[in-house]
């Protein structure tokens, strides 16, 4: 992965961290808008979804930080991909998640979500999703 891509993702994520709860809410709202059939895969109730959002943002933060050491990150992503099988996640769901993530970043970053930042995030997410999918299917 190119150093510039990693830098763009890591720097832009620093701007998302302060609004992590809102970003998680936007993400799940968009995810369920894009594919309402995914909603039953997640816990119900406001508090449960708040906890789910915290898990999402923590995992995303760890993955973004780990981009500087892909050799260490890849086994973590492989394990995460395997665990997602237990949650009934299908390979096709990763595309929907990617679309929801990019939409969330656009909403959260506003003008800072430049075409270069979007391309970097799309590349990073694609790489992470592929690792997770290949480990699972």
């Amino acid at each position: 992965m190119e150093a510039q891509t990693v830098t763009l993702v890591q720097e832009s994520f620093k701007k998302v961290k302060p609004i992590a709860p809102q970003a998680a809410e936007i993400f799940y709202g968009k995810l369920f808008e894009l594919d309402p059939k995914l909603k039953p895969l997640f816990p119900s109730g406001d508090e449960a979804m708040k906890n789910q959002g915290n898990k999402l943002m923590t995992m995303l933060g760890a993955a973004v930080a780990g981009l500087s050491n892909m050799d260490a990150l890849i086994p973590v992503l492989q394990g995460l991909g395997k665990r997602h099988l237990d949650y009934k996640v299908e390979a096709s769901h990763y595309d929907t998640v990617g679309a929801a993530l990019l939409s969330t970043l656009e909403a959260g970053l506003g003008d800072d979500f430049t075409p270069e930042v979007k391309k970097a995030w799309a590349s990073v997410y694609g790489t992470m999703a592929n690792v997770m999918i290949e480990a699972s299917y």
Side-chain angles (χ1 to χ4, degrees), residues 23 26-27 29-31 33-34 96-110 113 118:
I26 292 167
F27 172 81
K30 187 64 174 179
L31 183 68
E33 176 188 318
L34 291 171
T96 309
V97 168
L101 175 64
L102 291 177
S103 181
T104 299
L105 291 165
E106 182 176 20
L109 293 171
F113 193 65
K118 181 178 182 177

Side-chain angles (χ1 to χ4, degrees), residues 9 102 117-127:
V9 168
L102 291 177
V117 170
K118 181 178 182 177
K119 182 178 177 185
W121 271 99
S123 174
V124 165
Y125 177 77
T127 298

Side-chain angles (χ1 to χ4, degrees), residues 6-65:
V6 171
T7 299
L8 284 170
V9 168
Q10 289 176 335
E11 291 300 313
S12 61
F13 190 72
K14 288 178 185 176
K15 297 172 186 170
V16 175
K17 285 171 91 173
I19 60 162
Q22 295 89 346
E25 190 175 323
I26 292 167
F27 172 81
Y28 286 111
K30 187 64 174 179
L31 183 68
F32 300 149
E33 176 188 318
L34 291 171
D35 189 349
K37 293 179 285 188
L38 294 178
K39 196 164 188 169
L41 301 181
F42 293 89
S44 61
D46 291 341
E47 193 63 31
M49 282 308 296
K50 182 178 176 183
N51 290 335
Q52 180 66 34
N54 289 337
K55 289 179 188 178
L56 168 74
M57 297 309 292
T58 299
M59 185 280 309
L60 189 56
V64 167

